[in-house]
Amino acid sequence: MNWRQRFFTILILIAFFLLFFGGILVRLYTDWLWFSHDVSYPQVFSTILSSKWTLFLLFGGVFTAFALLNLLIANRVIGSVEEPGFAVQGERIIKITRLVRRGAMALLVLGTVVLGCLYGLSAAGYWNEYLLFRNGTEFGQKDPVFGRDVGFYVFQLPFLAFISGNALFGLLVVLVGTAAFYYFNRGLGWLGNMPTFMPSVKPHLLILSALFIVSVAVNTWLAQYNVLFSDHDQFFGAGYTDLNAHLPIIRMSAAGFLISALLCLIYLRPGASILVPIGSFVVVIAFWIVASIVYPPALQRFVVVPNQLERESPYIRRHLEFTRKAYALDKFTIKQMNVSEEIFQQDLDGSEGTLANLRLWDYRPLRQVYNSVQALKPYYQFFDVDVDRYLFDGEMRQVLLSLRELNVDGLPPTAKRWQNLHLLYTHGYGLVMNRVNEATSEGQPVLVARDLPPQTPPDIPLENPAIYFGENTDRHIIVRSKLRELDYPRLVGTDDQEENEYVTYQGTGGVPLSSYFSRLMHAMRLQDTNLLLSGDLTPESRLMFRRTIGERVRTVFPYLALDQDPYPVVAEGKIVWIYDAYTHSNNYPYSKPFNSISARAPRFNYIRNSVKITIDAYSGDVKAYVSDENDPLMKAYRRAFPELFKPMDQMPPALKAHIRYPQSLFTIQANLLELYHTTDARVFFNKEDAWVIARELLQGNRTQPMEPYYVITQPPGEKEPRFVLILPFTPQGRDNMVAWLAAHCDPDRYGEVVVHRFPKERLVYGPAQIEARINQNPEIAQQLNLWNQQGSEVIRGHLLVIPLGQTMLYFEPIYLKASYEAAIPELKKVVMASGNRVVMTDTVEQGLDALMGEARATGRKARPPSSTATPSPTLPAGAPENLPALIDRANRSYDAAQDALKRGDWTTFG
């Protein structure tokens, strides 16, 4: 082969290599640049990549070497027996046959290498299990069946099962390939009229068979641990039938497979029949199948079912214990709330913080308001409205806020040029914020942060309002180009002419495009040739991609599940996103699985909110703070990535003041609490005290489970208002309220979850009952029906159930919106309820006046009912027995008449 042939051969090989692996190499190189320069975590990239390469080389290399070794052995064995078979053939035919077989051998070698690469790539996908296996620790809790720490099931068993499963598959492929595709064609002889392998072939096949059967025995032995994850109709985990039927069958089958493997080795001697070890293997499999089909169902039907509670009680108790630990339900505090039916003056005393933060604004109509009055330009949009709290003049107030993110889809088609989309329109700007309890006389929110450039109160200074990284910022951009970026539009001069402010990015975000090679690689990665052709780029230019905060965080933390609601915080003069992240596992024994929190956790039975992740909206800087130091999974990841996670104490105080208990975790725990608030096996089995999340009314008279909601309130027994996450419960099949769940968000009490239970002998209205009473109230129903006509639409906000002293206040804002698309929702009324009274008024104060009646109007304090019965007051002589009821009726009639008088409704007043 001359030099030209060699040169073209090398070019062809390089072309094929780039064709198959070029995309992978481009992605690896650009990812390395992104991890190194954009988020500054090169160790994360190197740790994950090295783990993948270790598994690829280990499993792919071992499989390839083992397969080639057996291929070589088979070829040598066949070489010793094939010549007599060709004695009757001519020399020319023998040479051709040998040449064909050499070519076939080369193809077999090439196929083995390719199969080994695929095998290695499959193994590389288990890098997370590998890291946990290497860095795992103990949970400090042992399972009651095998006596192993839970850490064995979470950290070790998944990787051991992966190894044994891969070994089984690899041995099966080699055994079948050697026997069926090699020996069957070249080492098969005839014994009478029956085909049989040559005597020299049998030792090799028996050794391979012994190794394969040993791997089957190992897989079967590991399968015994799966009984701890059995799914029953009443509970999860090992039950009576699992331990007394399935487990013995599995262990006997594993022992039988080992005996069968031993027989394969015993029958290696010359002249021994291969049928005995094969027959023993078939017998063991038949025993496993038949025994599993017959014995466990019979035991379940005739022993367990007739006495199920008695037989399964010990296992139900284990299930309750492990499930409650897996979801941290065992850490919840339970308190009894001696609730009263009516609001009394003493319920209001000391509840000023609660009353000052009653949420008039629902996030659904408020987002429409924000986009109508504060988006200001078609290329800005408010995508989400979040709840938080800030200090105003030293007082904690609950607020709603949203960021003005960039939305280039709003540009006219003629403006959607490459320069505009990637160089000019690069970022959103500023935010809108309003306190939850304030509204103008026109029914609009009172904005405390607004406009361009953003006007914010002195308590919330904002020095850098630019938003380069957000929830919906998904387009790659180039900053520090020759074309300056649009910062924000503004009005100038006395005639209010509009001018645009332009800026050059000064942050550290993005990947440098300082070399042509870097531009080439990213152009291939993003399929954007303009990165190579544009004359606007300079050596100082930086490319920003992965600007959506969800994608950004998932790339750095691919093993964590993310909360569904990240939220922005204004702290230290800049905007920072906070993302709650979860460690999770599906291998916690006896614990009930929960389906789906995200694509990263489609099914799990252990979860912890162990990480708080922050993303700077300007620089894209990502930091992770450990919020649960005791989580064993978090300890393992900290060992694997020692420079990635910081202790919570290092979070800036301005950010730490805004952490909150995540809604996704709270919802999961609330769903489980419906059954798992009890620790009694009998109560759990009979579902005697089952709860459900309270339901609320939607538009169109449809109901759905209530969403958790953040409020500033003063829980019973607390001396000051707290920022908490709340959700009420009702009994299964009933609508009255039985309990409410509260999770503390303030840093000094963060993570404390309290279950407030109501007395069973007292009626506490549930949200659905209050919604029904609102619909049944003639005055309210008439007004809502009137508004829903003549081109208007009534929007009912979420019904909030808020503790107020020793009673529960029900609160629902009512909005009115014209039917055309550009209409802006307006707050019109508030519906409030407590006990037996439901009122609709213009303000909260009027609603409290109406609910309190004379008790609040005169300042008289009435005592709420307590668990100790008090004697009824003595009535005057001759007074009717129903005098208290008549007085109450007269008061309600008077209040209704006064309300009608204010509205000018003379018919009702009369």
Side-chain angles (χ1 to χ4, degrees), residues 418 422-423 476-478 513 515-516 518-535 537 543:
W418 186 85
H422 299 281
L423 303 181
H476 68 272
I477 60 169
I478 299 96
L513 297 176
S515 67
Y516 186 83
S518 175
R519 292 170 65 176
L520 173 63
M521 292 294 101
H522 286 98
M524 295 174 64
R525 167 72 179 266
L526 300 173
Q527 298 181 357
D528 187 353
T529 56
N530 289 313
L531 290 175
L532 297 174
L533 303 176
S534 175
L537 273 62
L543 170 69

Side-chain angles (χ1 to χ4, degrees), residues 825-871:
E826 297 179 354
L827 176 68
K828 285 299 180 182
K829 296 286 183 178
V830 291
V831 177
M832 303 176 71
S834 179
N836 293 314
R837 305 202 64 185
V838 177
V839 298
M840 184 171 72
T841 58
D842 294 326
T843 66
V844 172
E845 283 295 323
Q846 291 175 1
L848 290 174
D849 282 337
L851 289 176
M852 289 283 295
E854 292 185 358
R856 188 172 188 276
T858 60
R860 178 173 52 87
K861 295 184 180 181
R863 297 180 59 85
S866 63
S867 57
T868 304
T870 56

Side-chain angles (χ1 to χ4, degrees), residues 16 21 224 275 287 297 346 381 413 427 447 570 623 694 788 794 821 880 882 897:
F16 273 105
F21 299 103
Q224 70 176 326
L275 296 178
F287 164 77
Q346 65 186 50
Q381 187 171 355
H427 58 276
L447 302 179
V570 180
K623 294 181 180 178
N788 254 330
V794 172
E821 185 176 353
N882 61 340

Side-chain angles (χ1 to χ4, degrees), residues 272-295:
S273 174
I274 198 174
L275 296 178
V276 174
I278 293 178
S280 65
F281 181 68
V282 172
V283 168
V284 176
I285 290 180
F287 164 77
W288 190 4
I289 295 174
V290 173
S292 298
I293 292 176
V294 175
Y295 183 49

Side-chain angles (χ1 to χ4, degrees), residues 304-317 680-686 688:
V304 176
V305 171
N307 306 283
Q308 190 169 6
L309 180 58
E310 178 185 353
R311 297 289 186 183
E312 304 285 30
S313 286
Y315 313 110
I316 293 177
R317 282 192 289 269
D680 187 283
R682 180 179 295 274
V683 173
F684 179 84
F685 181 84
N686 294 324
E688 298 174 12

Side-chain angles (χ1 to χ4, degrees), residues 312 352 425:
E312 304 285 30
E352 290 80 4
Y425 294 97

